[in-house]
Amino acid sequence: MEILSLLGDGMLLAVQPQNLLLIVIGVTVGLFIGAMPGLGSVNGVAILLPITFLVPPSGAIIFLAAIYYGAMYGGAISSVTLGIPGASTAVATTFDGRPLARQGRASLALVTAALASFVGGTVANVFFTAFAPLLADVALSFGPPEIFALMLLAFATFVGLGGDDIPKTIFSICFGLVLGAIGFDQISGAPRLVLFDITGFLQGIGFLVLAIGVYGIGEMLWTIEQSRGDVESTNPKMTMRGMAADTAEATRRGWKGTAIGSVLGFFVGILPAAGATPASLMSYGVAKMISRVPHEFGRGNPDGVAAPEAANNSASTGSMLPMLTLGIPGSPTTAILLGGMVIWGLVPGPLLFVQETEFVWGLIGSFYISNVAAVLINLAFIPVFIWMLRMPFTILAPMIFVLSIAGGFAATRDMFDIWLIVIFGLGAFVLRRFDYPLAPAVLAIVLGPIAEPTLRQSLLLSSGDPSIFFTRPVAAPITIIALILLFLPAVKLLRRGRGKSGAEPS
């Protein structure tokens, strides 16, 4: 009852006129920041951080958290309407959101994304409120072996993303891992895989650069090639009755992905240095793996939109937990929020809940209010997003190209990355021509830089003994499940081969 009382006081603080106005402005700004390729929540919060010094610390953190919430919702907009991920957290949304838009069902994709985001944020808020101290201890118990086991589990789900052609899927994963290894070694500091000693490779291959190239330039080239340049707009229609029908369909066909993303996203989000991007990718893989119709994923399945969108919103709340309770940022965006709190004279950690009770519960209360505001504002703007799709492709294609280039430059301000975007776009187009799956490569470049150092740190802890992954109580079950999932496709292929040989006449 004490928690409910504190939460009630926090909500009353959040709905004070000034704070409520900051929430509405923050969510709206975040929605459009998230929809702009190359910006995302990290850049948005960093750019607007100086503005917050004009208001009290409680209002400032509420405003920045609202931007974070809005950006998580907004990432799906450009993923669906343009096929360009607004941020790395929305890459998995592109897999099924864009095909739905091409089928003239962009409204269904956007409604599914909004509702899944709302449910994911709500579930995470409840978990956060009820189990904050306990979950902080769980997050703290995750060392390098546990995090590597979790990454291995994520890789195990990748195999299902490439269809039945397992060799091509493995090649795609390995290619992504190689790209993720370019730059400086995180442990020794030595440069590696620096092609022709080009200094631009020393900074590594940015994930957003790869994602924009593959899903912006590459997708545009593929569409033009498939249609021989004669592409008509999808001309989707938007009515109140149609939106109500989409809401019902999104609920009926997306509930499983929403449930998976809401729970899995939160628990991945609370892990230090994990964040919303791995959470959304893992949730997509798990949703496809347990689906009765996995062949529909990548072709416009609402579950494929719901799972990553629920996950990235759930994880964004989850990543706040280690920041507040332990002083450890759970994502790049919460690292900026942590810096802001220190500037305002607030010291994150266990004592924060005791010494700054009003501030902490006001922030938690604002999570609930921001979540409601975000879903309402998002649904209200869906007709505007649908209007974008009515533009002829002759206008849309140059716009996609310009946004891809501008988004890539805005993220890093480096012309080298612009050339990489173009090269990755051309490469993605060629790989699609030869039926190579692109999703595993894109996902591997995200988790590779997390998996490699944790693997090496784990082996250093055990003096090179790999049994550390099977002897620790948390890492062992995760590793075993991951290995089972990795070998399942091989078992299915062997059974299929035996079945065919048994069916052949002697």
Side-chain angles (χ1 to χ4, degrees), residues 222 225-226 228 427-436:
W222 176 256
E225 195 272 342
Q226 288 295 102
R228 304 301 183 196
F429 170 70
V430 172
L431 288 174
R432 286 198 67 173
R433 287 293 304 269
F434 290 96
D435 293 326
Y436 277 86

Side-chain angles (χ1 to χ4, degrees), residues 113-305:
L115 295 179
S117 297
F118 175 73
V119 174
T122 302
V123 170
N125 287 334
V126 172
F127 284 161
F128 192 113
T129 305
F131 307 113
L134 175 63
L135 291 174
D137 292 337
V138 171
L140 201 59
S141 69
F142 267 67
E146 287 74 22
I147 294 178
F148 175 75
L150 195 66
M151 295 302 104
L152 186 65
L153 180 62
F155 281 116
T157 65
F158 290 3
V159 178
L161 296 179
D164 294 328
D165 200 335
I166 294 175
K168 288 184 177 180
T169 301
I170 294 174
F171 171 83
S172 186
I173 291 174
C174 292
F175 184 64
L177 290 174
V178 169
L179 292 177
I182 293 174
F184 287 105
D185 187 312
Q186 294 188 30
I187 293 180
S188 69
R192 59 186 183 182
L193 301 179
V194 178
L195 187 65
F196 302 123
D197 292 328
I198 299 174
T199 57
F201 285 114
L202 291 173
Q203 65 189 4
I205 304 295
F207 169 66
L208 202 58
V209 170
L210 178 72
I212 290 176
V214 170
Y215 293 104
I217 307 296
E219 189 71 19
M220 180 189 67
L221 294 175
W222 176 256
T223 302
I224 293 173
E225 195 272 342
Q226 288 295 102
S227 60
R228 304 301 183 196
D230 184 19
V231 184
E232 295 181 0
S233 63
T234 54
N235 194 26
K237 296 180 180 179
M238 185 70 189
T239 62
M240 291 302 295
R241 181 178 297 179
M243 193 167 177
D246 287 335
T247 302
E249 185 175 354
T251 304
R252 177 172 53 84
R253 297 182 61 192
W255 69 268
K256 190 179 294 184
T258 302
I260 292 168
S262 299
V263 177
L264 181 60
F266 181 76
F267 285 99
V268 174
I270 66 174
L271 302 179
T277 301
S280 64
L281 302 175
M282 288 180 67
S283 297
Y284 183 89
V286 173
K288 180 176 181 179
M289 185 180 296
I290 68 171
S291 174
R292 293 182 179 178
V293 286
H295 59 278
E296 291 184 3
F297 278 69
R299 301 178 181 177
N301 190 320
D303 256 342
V305 176

Side-chain angles (χ1 to χ4, degrees), residues 105-116:
R105 309 217 64 193
S107 173
L108 174 61
L110 292 169
V111 168
T112 301
L115 295 179

Side-chain angles (χ1 to χ4, degrees), residues 452-495:
E452 183 201 356
T454 53
L455 170 62
R456 295 167 67 180
Q457 290 164 3
S458 302
L459 294 177
L460 286 172
L461 287 172
S462 64
S463 300
D465 185 1
S467 65
I468 189 173
F469 300 110
F470 300 94
T471 55
R472 291 170 68 109
V474 177
I478 299 176
T479 304
I480 292 170
I481 293 171
L483 291 176
I484 291 172
L485 294 177
L486 281 172
F487 287 111
L488 267 180
V491 173
K492 290 180 180 179
L493 283 177
L494 287 174
R495 286 183 176 178

Side-chain angles (χ1 to χ4, degrees), residues 30-62:
L31 188 69
F32 286 95
I33 286 175
M36 288 297 295
L39 283 180
S41 60
V42 181
N43 293 326
V45 171
I47 291 169
L48 295 173
L49 180 61
I51 298 176
T52 60
F53 298 121
L54 302 174
V55 295
S58 58
I61 193 70
I62 285 173

Side-chain angles (χ1 to χ4, degrees), residues 38 43 203 206 208-209 406-418:
N43 293 326
Q203 65 189 4
L208 202 58
V209 170
F409 185 76
T412 62
R413 298 185 180 277
D414 190 344
M415 276 304 299
F416 179 75
D417 286 336
I418 303 305

